[in-house]
Amino acid sequence: MESMAHSKNRATDGKITYPPGVKEISDKISKEEMVRRLKMVVKTFMDMDQDSEEEKELYLNLALHLASDFFLKHPDKDVRLLVACCLADIFRIYAPEAPYTSPDKLKDIFMFITRQLKGLEDTKSAQFNRYFYLLENIAWVKSYNICFELEDSNEIFTQLYRTLFQVINNGHNQKVHMHMVDLMSSIICEGDSVSQELLDTVLVNLVPAHKNLNKQAYDLAKALLKRTAQAIEPYITNFFNQVLMLGKTSVSDLSEHVFDLILELYNIDSHLLLSVLPQLEFKLKSNDNDERLQVVKLLAKMFGAKDSELATQNKPLWQCYLGRFNDIHVPIRLECVKFASHCLMNHPDLAKDLTEYLKVRSHDPEEAIRHDVIVSIVTAAKKDLALVNDHLLNFVRERTLDKRWRVRKEAMMGLAQIYKKYSLQGEGGKEASKQISWIKDKLLHIYYQNSIDDRLLVERIFAQYMVPHNLETTERMKCLYYLYATLDQNAVKALNEMWKCQNMLRHHVKDLLDLVKQPKSDSYNKAVFSKVMVITRNLPDPGKAQDFVKRLAQVLEEDEKIRKQLETLVSPACSCKQAEGCVRDITKKLGSPKQPSNPFLEMVKFLLERIAPVHIDTESISALIKQVNKSIEGTADDEDEGVPTEQAIRAGLELLKVLSFTHPVSFHSAETFESLLGCLKMDDEKVAEAALQIFKNTGGKLEESFPHIKSVLLPVLQHKAKKGPPRQAKYAIHCIHAMFSNRDTHFAQIFEPLHKSVDTENFEQLITPLTTLGHLAMLAPEQFAGPLKSLVANFIVKDLLMNDRIPGKKTTKLWVPDDEVSPETLAKIQGIKLMVRWLLGVKNNQSKSGTSTLRMLTAILNSDGDLTEQGKIGKPDMSRMRLAAGCALLRLAQEPCYHQIITLEQYQLCALVINDECYQVRQAFAQKLHKGLCLLRLPLEYLAVFALCAKDPVKERRAHARQCLVKNINLRREYLKQHAAVSEKLVSLLPEYVVPYAIHLLVHDPDYVKVQDIEQLKDIKEALWFVLEILMAKNENNSHAFIRKMVENIKQTKDGQAPDDAKINEKLYTVCDVAMNIVISKSTTYSLESPKDPVLPARYFTQPDKNFSNTKNYLPAEMKSFFTPGKPKAANVLGAVNKPLSATGKLQTKLSRMETNSNASSNSDPSSPGRGKGRLDTTDVDHSENEDITMKSLTESEKPRGRKRGIATTPDDKAADSKPKRGRKKASTASEEAEESWGAGDSSLGDTTLETEDEQNSPPKRGRRGRPPKSAAPKEESPAKGRRGRKKAVRPPEELEEEEQEEEEEEDAGSENMEVKPKAGRGRGGRRAATRAEVADTAGESVESTPPKRRGRPPKNQQAARKPAGGRTRGASSQENESEEDMETSQENVEEEEDEQEDDSQHSSPKVRRKNPRRERR
């Protein structure tokens, strides 16, 4: 200190000592000289160190002199630089004390040095090294630390920081960067505080705008913050606290960038924000939407960053962030959902946390959010399937049924891309392929949806992702072969339906091309317009498409080239390559470069996409046949594809069978037919059946073109017709009929030996001959007229049906699988079918054969299926016989000549089969009834039969009946819209006309005994509402008033069946009042004028008495309370039909397939009734619009309709009533006695029945008709929530008829899948309104009646112990929503095929035990 004081004294004397050789430096010398002298001074100071005390004292005045304003403000930059270097060395040499004591001087000096540092900017400057030396010196010495004690230190530091951040650039090396960091970090680490201004100077470089302008400044700031993290953290925390918590945005200009800064600081060093992150948690709960959104965006980046550990380090903040997935503000939820994909990809460990929140958001009311949920999941899955769990994929699966098309499309396309990547291309190995194996089935199931957009997208996905059309032919067919073999049953049906729809559209376009060639006329215009309308329904947005299709028709008239291209495209011989060329040429010709967005061209592309055969041609079929042959020979890689060889062969033949319907010409090659011949000789019955059907579909020209094939095929067909399995025999007969010109000769060669050899010695060997003879009878009734009549009368009726040779097993079951049904019963069923087929072939009742057959069938029903009433036949066989008789009646009712002779009593008895005590009988009968109605073959009165299903104890059966009603009603309405010319048939088509039939059927319901009984009237009300709810869902053409008028008119008539029976007429008027009250309570427009005067069916009601005005109210007063007002809902019942039924430890069985056909072109129009109310037509819609197809446990009409009828009967009660009682006796009529009958014999046999406790169905006493008790329905049968699916399109009858070709095969198989309801209670259909008519012989014996038995239906409140119903998977349950038939066929085969419907449903059902009630007879 003494030396320093001494130096200061020396300094005061003012003498300046210069280094040796340096003269005085003043303003009197030139700049160049000054620079030269200063360089020598710089050298001197550079060489000095802190220990040179003498030199320090010697040059003290020089040091003071260099800090004078003369130098600090010198205009020459070189002078200033040299002075700055000197000053820097002076601070080094004199450290720790500087020779300058004045604070102002120190400030001037440091500001001066800072200004000189700007020279660092130009790295190419000659002086750059001096600038670098200056930086290095002050950084190493930490010279600026002297300023800590100055009042203006903040200004000095801020200026320094700004300068360094400004000058840093990519020309600087690592040393420059390091010295700058050293210099700045020393100021932060060793200072007492960091001012906000200084902090801003650092942080501003992190703001995105600055960051992008000067990346080097950003890197410098980043390095500085990392170095000083601990020291600067309190000041950063304070800054964010001021802005975030206290809202003091004025503290800094960077306040508006706080969230950007937080992200950057977190990425630099998370410790910088230790105290800030809890503030973000607070901000996430802010009331300001925009503020919350900013925080969510920030945290999304922080949590989603690749190496971020924030979620694990700060769990409270993570949980708080997840809560924002449920934020009320849409953009916030959207931001959270978008974040999910980054999070899934970068942090798979967080997938579990995200899953639950994404599940909720996948049901978000906002379409955009649901859409982005799918995008997030699919994006992650496409990167790596392991990143998404099955739950996440399932959310995408659910959204394929979303209410909005955009969401559905995204979900479907996402699944398709995932499937192609991991299944087709095998990127994730076998495990990944197995994980997503369900996708192919799910995508095809969507083809059942109502929207044409969905179906078109499925077709596109199939052609691009599932079986890419651009694959080489062999590879493409191999792909299709194994895909078809691994699809589930419903997906197979959807794929078949898809090909059929495309084929149908191809035919429509072909028809249009034929039309445009014709000369113009009024009829031409109508025909073209009609065809345009049909094609329009197969395109998206039918409203706009109509104009475009009209325009296309005009183009086809005018442009011959386009017409020829299109003709090539739709010709059966068009190859896949030709098709691609035609599509390309047509779109090129119709397109215009001047008009990039051309809606007309887009529509044409849609049309061409649907009709172009891009998968199947002759070459493809040949490749497919070779693939099947490889499997047969054992050289295919079936096992590698995960398909058992037997399954692959069977699937391959099924696939060929389907394609033989849609592409028959492609099969015309010797190689193909020879391969099929080989399949005929295989042991696998299914393979041989498929081969026979392929021959039938494709062999029209085989006789001419391939005579060598014919010579080998004919003996095979004849052998199969005589001795093959029944189904093969049937197909063999139809092959001969379709393929050979001299079929009469071939038929005779088969008929004669079979006709003569039928006997009842061996029932198992009798089934095939009866099947063959039945089909011969239908195809050639006149050729074998005499022998057939004799065969039916003498063998079928007298010998087969009227005798029970083999006693049935004593069992309490009502139904057993096919292999347990006695051969005698199977033979009898074939005998019944033979009779029906013969009648359908004859198509007249001239010999009264139809009348006799009807009496025979009703006798079977009256006798519970035991025609002889000897008690030899077992209960399961009786169930089969009842089903066979009921279905036979339905078949005959479809032929007008037989419908006319079915009496009302026979119709009512037939209707009661839908209430049979056996579940499988009810199920199969309902399917047959539905099919006949869908084809518009069964008269409208049979639609009323479904009203009786309101009493079914099993919810699923009620739900199916309701679905059938919806479908049939919509189909009829659609048909009337499309065929305006059929107005004269209005009575037989207008669905509202079902009301009189339903009223009449309920009046004669054997359960309706006491006219004024409240409980019985409640049942009547439920049955009527079951039908009326659907009819009244839409008040089309003021239909409510029309129904009201119809009911009023019925009250002015009398019952046509018993016009003089006062009690019956009172019942009629009471039921009318029930109907009237329903209409009044559920409609607001019932009082308007009826659009037309209803016409009542003359057979059912007498002519109204004009002098009689029936205004009396026949209802008891207490009934009024049961009519609750409210608008009817056209509720979707798919959820109810698709519910899973759980049965622990029980055999799981598939439901037999319901014939709810879908995807008809007629319902493409979104406004058509077939589409119902879109996808949101349920009773359980949550607040969000995407909860589109969720079902409540039951819609109103599906609730259990049990009525309190006494106390549950105990087993003791049952035992006490073991003897059967007799019912009313029906006298035989004179007309019956006069009619020719099939057989004779005294049938006044005792009604011995099995009295033991039945294991299947066990009703208590008081049963009348065989309906199972409502309360017996298992509680587990409520439809599962969340089953999604929109109502399917209703097909027009002309399309449905084409599907009938394969129905018997479907139903044979369907019988194996018959749905089994364990322990669901029982009852049996119909009071015996009449005794089984004794069958008189041909000599004309009088018919003697037997007292009837009353079939027992237990009370609905029975509380017997029940086991849970058999479980079904969602996949199995979805069958009920899908098309029953797979193929289309020509009209000539429809009759032949339809009669085989009964073949199957009667034969089989899985083994499930049911409680069996004893039948009580009165």
Side-chain angles (χ1 to χ4, degrees):
M1 287 298 290
E2 288 180 11
S3 65
M4 196 66 193
H6 182 61
S7 298
K8 287 178 182 175
N9 292 335
R10 290 279 305 273
T12 55
D13 60 20
K15 186 179 179 184
I16 299 172
T17 306
Y18 290 93
V22 179
K23 294 182 180 178
E24 183 185 3
I25 303 172
S26 68
D27 56 354
K28 294 176 182 174
I29 60 175
S30 67
K31 185 194 85 170
E32 289 77 11
E33 181 61 25
M34 188 179 291
V35 169
R36 189 182 67 75
R37 294 179 187 180
L38 280 172
K39 282 180 181 177
M40 294 174 72
V41 174
V42 168
K43 180 75 172 63
T44 303
F45 282 126
M46 198 182 291
D47 293 338
M48 286 173 63
D49 57 34
Q50 288 180 310
D51 299 331
S52 310
E53 295 295 338
E54 289 183 11
E55 290 177 320
K56 283 161 68 174
E57 186 177 343
L58 183 64
Y59 297 126
L60 179 61
N61 284 336
L62 177 59
L64 296 173
H65 176 57
L66 288 171
S68 66
D69 286 351
F70 168 72
F71 290 107
L72 297 183
K73 295 179 181 178
H74 198 282
D76 185 73
K77 65 177 183 178
D78 291 337
V79 172
R80 293 199 303 274
L81 172 59
L82 292 167
V83 171
C85 290
C86 291
L87 291 172
D89 274 320
I90 290 168
F91 282 117
R92 173 178 62 80
I93 296 163
Y94 290 93
E97 294 285 341
Y100 316 110
T101 54
S102 164
D104 291 339
K105 179 52 70 176
L106 280 171
K107 178 184 176 184
D108 290 344
I109 291 170
F110 281 104
M111 293 298 271
F112 169 74
I113 293 173
T114 299
R115 286 196 295 275
Q116 305 323 302
L117 288 173
K118 287 183 181 177
L120 287 165
E121 195 165 13
D122 185 3
T123 55
K124 300 212 171 110
S125 159
Q127 301 295 333
F128 179 76
N129 286 339
R130 285 203 187 277
Y131 287 117
F132 175 74
Y133 174 77
L134 173 63
L135 172 66
E136 182 182 43
N137 207 341
I138 58 175
W140 186 72
V141 180
K142 302 181 183 176
S143 307
Y144 276 80
N145 291 11
I146 296 171
C147 302
F148 285 143
E149 296 173 7
L150 301 180
E151 285 184 12
D152 297 328
S153 61
N154 183 53
E155 184 184 346
I156 298 167
F157 296 150
T158 304
Q159 188 58 44
L160 172 67
Y161 275 43
R162 280 189 187 134
T163 301
L164 293 177
F165 283 122
Q166 283 169 7
V167 300
I168 186 78
N169 60 59
N170 55 12
H172 293 139
N173 59 24
Q174 190 59 35
K175 285 185 177 181
V176 175
H177 188 272
M178 184 184 69
H179 289 317
M180 287 183 175
V181 173
D182 289 344
L183 177 58
M184 291 192 284
S185 62
S186 67
I187 293 170
I188 291 173
C189 294
E190 297 177 25
D192 293 334
S193 66
V194 178
S195 70
Q196 185 61 49
E197 190 179 6
L198 184 62
L199 187 62
D200 285 357
T201 311
V202 178
L203 296 181
V204 73
N205 297 287
L206 307 182
V207 173
H210 289 266
K211 175 181 174 180
N212 297 333
L213 283 173
N214 191 344
K215 178 72 168 55
Q216 285 68 37
Y218 169 78
D219 292 337
L220 181 62
K222 185 176 171 182
L224 174 63
L225 288 164
K226 277 190 173 183
R227 177 85 64 87
T228 62
Q230 194 171 353
I232 204 169
E233 188 265 336
Y235 306 103
I236 290 176
T237 300
N238 180 61
F239 163 59
F240 287 122
N241 189 50
Q242 295 282 322
V243 177
L244 293 177
M245 304 301 287
L246 304 177
K248 295 181 180 178
T249 54
S250 58
V251 296
S252 166
D253 293 337
L254 296 179
S255 299
E256 60 191 73
H257 300 293
V258 280
F259 297 117
D260 292 326
L261 291 173
I262 290 174
L263 176 62
E264 291 297 341
L265 289 168
Y266 181 77
N267 291 336
I268 291 167
D269 189 341
S270 60
H271 293 95
L272 290 167
L273 298 174
L274 283 175
S275 304
V276 176
L277 294 178
Q279 298 174 14
L280 292 180
E281 195 175 329
F282 172 78
K283 280 295 173 187
L284 277 174
K285 299 171 183 174
S286 165
N287 290 328
D288 186 325
N289 289 341
D290 292 335
E291 192 170 52
R292 284 201 316 282
L293 178 59
Q294 284 182 297
V295 180
V296 164
K297 283 183 176 178
L298 163 67
L299 287 174
K301 293 170 184 170
M302 291 169 70
F303 285 124
K306 190 160 185 62
D307 301 316
S308 170
E309 294 181 1
L310 182 58
T312 50
Q313 291 171 349
N314 197 327
K315 288 192 175 175
L317 183 61
W318 171 240
Q319 289 301 323
C320 190
Y321 175 77
L322 288 176
R324 289 308 95 208
F325 273 83
N326 300 328
D327 197 285
I328 194 170
H329 192 44
V330 173
I332 293 176
R333 300 201 302 275
L334 198 57
E335 197 60 43
C336 289
V337 165
K338 285 178 178 174
F339 145 80
S341 66
H342 301 289
C343 192
L344 288 170
M345 289 188 281
N346 295 333
H347 304 284
D349 53 308
L350 297 177
K352 189 177 178 184
D353 290 344
L354 286 172
T355 301
E356 207 50 46
Y357 290 93
L358 285 174
K359 178 180 181 179
V360 178
R361 291 288 59 80
S362 71
H363 295 231
D364 197 279
E366 283 296 320
E367 174 186 338
I369 293 174
R370 301 196 304 275
H371 176 273
D372 280 10
V373 168
I374 294 160
V375 172
S376 291
I377 297 170
V378 169
T379 304
K382 284 197 289 187
K383 183 182 178 187
D384 184 353
L385 194 60
L387 296 175
V388 295
N389 55 42
D390 289 340
H391 293 298
L392 292 171
L393 286 176
N394 202 47
F395 302 156
V396 183
R397 177 187 193 147
E398 287 177 0
R399 288 304 99 208
T400 59
L401 298 175
D402 196 272
K403 182 180 178 183
R404 299 291 181 189
W405 163 238
R406 177 177 167 231
V407 181
R408 297 199 306 276
K409 181 179 179 183
E410 190 64 44
M412 290 160 69
M413 288 301 294
L415 289 178
Q417 290 160 5
I418 293 169
Y419 175 79
K420 185 174 183 181
K421 180 171 183 177
Y422 296 108
S423 197
L424 273 193
Q425 298 167 354
E427 289 194 16
K430 287 192 174 179
E431 278 303 311
S433 180
K434 188 177 177 184
Q435 185 187 346
I436 51 101
S437 61
W438 55 267
I439 290 180
K440 59 184 184 299
D441 298 315
K442 177 60 190 171
L443 288 171
L444 287 170
H445 291 170
I446 296 165
Y447 204 75
Y448 290 110
Q449 297 310 326
N450 225 14
S451 159
I452 187 72
D453 290 312
D454 289 295
R455 299 206 292 276
L456 285 173
L457 186 57
V458 172
E459 290 179 11
R460 185 174 290 173
I461 284 171
F462 180 79
Q464 293 179 4
Y465 295 94
M466 298 175 78
V467 184
H469 64 82
N470 51 8
L471 290 176
E472 185 269 326
T473 304
T474 308
E475 195 60 34
R476 186 171 72 239
M477 287 301 102
K478 182 181 175 183
C479 180
L480 177 59
Y481 178 67
Y482 288 114
L483 174 73
Y484 202 84
T486 53
L487 289 174
D488 70 24
Q489 195 176 30
N490 300 317
V492 166
K493 287 194 288 182
L495 183 52
N496 298 345
E497 179 76 13
M498 184 180 87
W499 281 324
K500 188 168 61 178
C501 289
Q502 290 174 340
N503 191 50
M504 206 177 295
L505 183 56
R506 214 171 285 134
H507 284 297
H508 290 319
V509 173
K510 193 168 184 296
D511 294 343
L512 181 63
L513 285 165
D514 293 340
L515 279 172
V516 296
K517 295 178 191 172
Q518 296 174 10
K520 291 196 175 184
S521 64
D522 285 345
S523 60
Y524 163 84
N525 290 334
K526 283 182 182 176
V528 168
F529 178 74
S530 174
K531 192 54 66 178
V532 163
M533 293 304 292
V534 172
I535 293 171
T536 295
R537 285 193 293 272
N538 288 275
L539 296 169
D541 196 354
K544 292 179 183 175
Q546 184 179 334
D547 295 332
F548 293 140
V549 179
K550 283 180 186 173
R551 185 171 154 193
L552 177 64
Q554 288 176 347
V555 170
L556 292 174
E557 286 176 22
E558 298 160 6
D559 194 319
E560 190 180 351
K561 282 187 179 178
I562 290 182
R563 190 167 69 243
K564 284 188 175 176
Q565 292 275 22
L566 201 52
E567 281 172 353
T568 304
L569 191 64
V570 297
S571 73
C574 181
S575 71
C576 298
K577 286 181 181 175
Q578 275 181 303
E580 286 183 23
C582 290
V583 170
R584 193 167 49 248
D585 293 345
I586 292 171
T587 50
K588 189 176 178 182
K589 195 156 178 60
L590 290 176
S592 166
K594 296 176 183 175
Q595 194 178 3
S597 61
N598 184 345
F600 170 61
L601 182 59
E602 287 302 310
M603 187 282 304
V604 173
K605 281 181 180 175
F606 267 119
L607 180 61
L608 296 178
E609 197 174 294
R610 294 204 76 184
I611 63 174
V614 292
H615 282 115
I616 307 300
D617 57 10
T618 306
E619 186 186 352
S620 302
I621 294 295
S622 179
L624 193 53
I625 289 276
K626 285 176 185 171
Q627 186 66 48
V628 175
N629 286 338
K630 279 185 184 177
S631 292
I632 293 170
E633 293 158 8
T635 58
D637 45 3
D638 298 331
E639 298 300 330
D640 291 344
E641 297 286 343
V643 186
T645 300
E646 186 182 334
Q647 181 184 330
I649 297 168
R650 190 177 286 189
L653 266 292
E654 284 296 317
L655 172 58
L656 286 166
K657 182 180 78 176
V658 175
L659 296 174
S660 71
F661 281 92
T662 55
H663 302 78
V665 176
S666 300
F667 284 77
H668 289 179
S669 74
E671 182 186 22
T672 299
F673 285 134
E674 282 165 9
S675 296
L676 290 171
L677 266 176
C679 294
L680 280 181
K681 296 167 186 173
M682 288 181 65
D683 294 335
D684 190 322
E685 287 188 19
K686 292 280 184 187
V687 170
E689 283 170 23
L692 283 167
Q693 289 176 80
I694 295 168
F695 270 118
K696 183 185 74 171
N697 297 333
T698 63
K701 296 181 180 177
L702 183 139
E703 195 170 32
E704 307 162 17
S705 308
F706 306 97
H708 65 290
I709 301 284
K710 177 205 166 181
S711 60
V712 181
L713 178 61
L714 185 58
V716 176
L717 294 177
Q718 289 176 328
H719 173 76
K720 287 195 177 291
K722 293 173 187 174
K723 296 187 177 178
R727 290 171 59 74
Q728 291 185 30
K730 171 182 72 176
Y731 293 129
I733 292 295
H734 285 281
C735 273
I736 294 170
H737 184 261
M739 294 164 66
F740 302 129
S741 53
N742 54 342
R743 59 179 74 95
D744 290 353
T745 309
H746 302 314
F747 280 171
Q749 290 170 357
I750 297 169
F751 183 86
E752 292 305 326
L754 287 181
H755 169 240
K756 290 172 183 173
S757 63
V758 289
D759 61 58
T760 53
E761 293 301 315
N762 189 332
F763 286 112
E764 289 182 0
Q765 292 179 8
L766 183 59
I767 295 170
T768 293
L770 288 178
T771 304
T772 302
L773 291 170
H775 285 279
L776 286 171
M778 186 164 66
L779 295 173
E782 295 175 4
Q783 186 180 346
F784 308 112
L788 278 170
K789 182 165 177 56
S790 168
L791 176 75
V792 170
N794 296 321
F795 178 75
I796 300 296
V797 177
K798 288 185 181 179
D799 205 9
L800 183 61
L801 293 177
M802 293 300 297
N803 289 292
D804 293 332
R805 289 175 173 78
I806 303 169
K809 292 180 183 176
K810 295 293 181 182
T811 176
T812 53
K813 294 179 181 177
L814 287 179
W815 190 269
V816 291
D818 283 355
D819 54 3
E820 294 181 30
V821 179
S822 74
E824 183 177 10
T825 300
L826 293 175
K828 286 183 177 182
I829 291 169
Q830 282 302 329
I832 292 172
K833 290 184 176 183
L834 188 151
M835 293 166 65
V836 171
R837 287 171 185 149
W838 173 55
L839 290 174
L840 291 174
V842 173
K843 287 190 172 65
N844 69 67
N845 191 36
Q846 290 172 0
S847 62
K848 303 291 182 185
S849 301
T851 308
S852 301
T853 303
L854 289 170
R855 283 172 41 225
M856 165 72 75
L857 295 172
T858 48
I860 292 172
L861 290 177
N862 267 320
S863 59
D864 269 9
D866 183 6
L867 187 60
T868 63
E869 295 193 328
Q870 294 173 352
K872 286 186 178 180
I873 186 169
K875 287 189 175 183
D877 295 334
M878 290 166 68
S879 295
R880 299 273 179 168
M881 292 296 288
R882 293 196 302 274
L883 178 58
C887 292
L889 279 167
L890 290 180
R891 289 299 307 282
L892 291 174
Q894 294 179 40
E895 192 59 51
C897 66
Y898 301 123
H899 167 241
Q900 293 166 5
I901 61 171
I902 295 176
T903 65
L904 295 182
E905 289 82 0
Q906 288 169 339
Y907 157 68
Q908 288 151 11
L909 191 61
C910 175
L912 292 177
V913 177
I914 210 162
N915 285 140
D916 193 272
E917 62 188 339
C918 176
Y919 178 90
Q920 288 80 8
V921 173
R922 304 201 301 275
Q923 181 185 38
F925 182 81
Q927 291 175 13
K928 299 292 181 210
L929 177 63
H930 176 57
K931 184 182 292 289
L933 288 165
C934 275
L935 293 169
L936 298 187
R937 292 251 190 93
L938 274 175
L940 189 60
E941 55 258 44
Y942 287 85
L943 186 58
V945 174
F946 281 118
L948 300 178
C949 290
K951 304 182 180 187
D952 200 295
V954 182
K955 293 173 189 174
E956 196 160 58
R957 297 269 28 94
R958 297 199 298 275
H960 175 249
R962 178 179 170 76
Q963 189 182 16
C964 293
L965 275 169
V966 169
K967 193 169 178 54
N968 276 288
I969 287 169
N970 287 340
L971 184 142
R972 280 166 164 73
R973 285 177 175 161
E974 190 66 24
Y975 185 81
L976 287 169
K977 283 181 182 176
Q978 294 168 22
H979 302 81
V982 298
S983 54
E984 67 276 3
K985 297 181 184 175
L986 206 58
V987 177
S988 62
L989 287 170
L990 190 69
E992 279 73 18
Y993 273 119
V994 77
V995 174
Y997 298 119
I999 288 173
H1000 191 273
L1001 190 60
L1002 291 169
V1003 167
H1004 293 271
D1005 183 342
D1007 281 348
Y1008 186 25
V1009 181
K1010 297 180 182 177
V1011 180
Q1012 298 290 307
D1013 183 85
I1014 296 294
E1015 292 300 323
Q1016 292 177 24
L1017 286 174
K1018 279 162 70 178
D1019 278 355
I1020 296 287
K1021 178 227 164 193
E1022 290 291 349
L1024 280 171
W1025 178 235
F1026 198 70
V1027 176
L1028 286 172
E1029 180 180 23
I1030 300 160
L1031 283 173
M1032 295 174 64
K1034 289 184 178 179
N1035 187 20
E1036 293 190 357
N1037 301 321
N1038 200 14
S1039 61
H1040 294 185
F1042 181 71
I1043 294 171
R1044 184 217 73 217
K1045 179 71 173 171
M1046 197 152 37
V1047 176
E1048 285 177 351
N1049 287 4
I1050 294 172
K1051 278 191 76 173
Q1052 305 304 314
T1053 67
K1054 292 183 178 178
D1055 184 90
Q1057 193 172 335
D1060 301 324
D1061 188 325
K1063 184 177 179 183
I1064 290 288
N1065 284 321
E1066 187 184 354
K1067 282 185 183 180
L1068 175 65
Y1069 305 143
T1070 308
V1071 175
C1072 283
D1073 279 346
V1074 173
M1076 184 66 77
N1077 275 279
I1078 291 173
V1079 174
I1080 291 171
S1081 64
K1082 300 294 183 183
S1083 171
T1084 54
T1085 59
Y1086 69 90
S1087 57
L1088 300 175
E1089 190 62 34
S1090 172
K1092 54 178 78 68
D1093 201 39
V1095 179
L1096 298 179
R1099 285 180 73 195
Y1100 291 77
F1101 306 101
T1102 62
Q1103 286 296 315
D1105 186 351
K1106 294 180 181 177
N1107 301 319
F1108 172 60
S1109 177
N1110 189 358
T1111 56
K1112 177 182 172 183
N1113 181 12
Y1114 290 82
L1115 287 181
E1118 52 267 45
M1119 268 302 287
K1120 291 286 183 187
S1121 61
F1122 296 108
F1123 297 102
T1124 53
K1127 191 177 178 183
K1129 296 185 279 290
N1132 189 345
V1133 297
L1134 298 187
V1137 176
N1138 292 345
K1139 66 178 183 292
L1141 304 176
S1142 58
T1144 312
K1146 290 284 181 185
L1147 172 69
Q1148 289 209 0
T1149 63
K1150 289 186 179 179
L1151 285 172
S1152 64
R1153 294 157 294 180
M1154 304 303 173
E1155 304 93 295
T1156 41
N1157 308 297
S1158 65
N1159 307 324
S1161 59
S1162 63
N1163 280 290
S1164 311
D1165 185 347
S1167 63
S1168 73
R1171 300 193 50 181
K1173 291 191 175 184
R1175 301 178 185 85
L1176 195 58
D1177 206 7
T1178 68
T1179 54
D1180 190 29
V1181 182
D1182 109 357
H1183 67 285
S1184 53
E1185 67 176 332
N1186 64 296
E1187 291 297 357
D1188 39 289
I1189 312 160
T1190 314
M1191 276 297 300
K1192 210 168 182 177
S1193 62
L1194 278 177
T1195 54
E1196 182 178 345
S1197 67
E1198 293 159 1
K1199 290 176 185 168
R1201 297 173 180 75
R1203 47 182 170 171
K1204 298 176 183 176
R1205 198 194 278 177
I1207 303 166
T1209 315
T1210 64
D1212 294 339
D1213 295 331
K1214 296 177 190 174
D1217 191 37
S1218 59
K1219 289 191 178 182
K1221 300 179 182 179
R1222 295 272 178 184
R1224 287 189 303 163
K1225 182 175 182 178
K1226 177 187 172 187
S1228 50
T1229 62
S1231 61
E1232 284 176 325
E1233 293 173 4
E1235 284 173 354
E1236 176 185 350
S1237 300
W1238 290 125
D1242 181 13
S1243 57
S1244 307
L1245 304 166
D1247 4 288
T1248 54
T1249 55
L1250 193 62
E1251 300 290 347
T1252 56
E1253 187 68 12
D1254 189 313
E1255 290 183 25
Q1256 268 195 323
N1257 300 313
S1258 184
K1261 296 161 69 173
R1262 297 194 57 183
R1264 268 189 296 282
R1265 187 171 61 213
R1267 297 183 184 121
K1270 281 281 177 81
S1271 58
K1275 297 211 185 295
E1276 291 80 9
E1277 287 178 350
S1278 63
K1281 284 192 180 185
R1283 288 284 176 265
R1284 306 202 183 325
R1286 283 161 279 144
K1287 284 188 287 188
K1288 298 192 302 265
V1290 178
R1291 312 186 56 114
E1294 59 266 31
E1295 294 181 16
L1296 284 166
E1297 287 192 11
E1298 296 174 349
E1299 297 187 342
E1300 219 182 356
Q1301 176 77 15
E1302 286 309 310
E1303 70 183 359
E1304 65 270 34
E1305 177 208 345
E1306 290 276 355
E1307 301 209 11
D1308 281 341
S1311 65
E1312 298 169 10
N1313 299 328
M1314 189 71 71
E1315 179 178 351
V1316 175
K1317 303 308 282 183
K1319 312 217 173 190
R1322 129 169 176 177
R1324 170 71 192 110
R1327 174 190 78 192
R1328 256 195 216 151
T1331 148
R1332 176 189 65 79
E1334 277 196 2
V1335 189
D1337 65 14
T1338 49
E1341 271 187 43
S1342 63
V1343 182
E1344 187 176 329
S1345 299
T1346 312
K1349 294 173 282 183
R1350 193 185 288 264
R1351 290 195 285 281
R1353 187 188 72 180
K1356 295 192 175 179
N1357 62 342
Q1358 175 186 355
Q1359 296 173 2
R1362 300 291 187 270
K1363 290 188 182 178
R1368 292 190 304 150
T1369 63
R1370 175 174 180 171
S1373 66
S1374 67
Q1375 315 183 95
E1376 301 208 24
N1377 307 336
E1378 295 154 3
S1379 164
E1380 169 74 353
E1381 304 85 36
D1382 294 332
M1383 319 299 170
E1384 62 176 46
T1385 183
S1386 60
Q1387 180 60 39
E1388 68 176 85
N1389 291 328
V1390 173
E1391 300 292 349
E1392 164 257 307
E1393 300 298 354
E1394 189 188 12
D1395 91 298
E1396 274 308 289
Q1397 294 176 43
E1398 293 92 44
D1399 247 353
D1400 327 303
S1401 47
Q1402 308 174 21
H1403 291 241
S1404 153
S1405 177
K1407 300 178 184 176
V1408 177
R1409 296 158 68 86
R1410 294 162 53 101
K1411 272 287 185 187
N1412 181 20
R1414 292 164 316 169
R1415 205 161 24 248
E1416 178 182 6
R1417 303 176 188 271
R1418 294 187 179 180

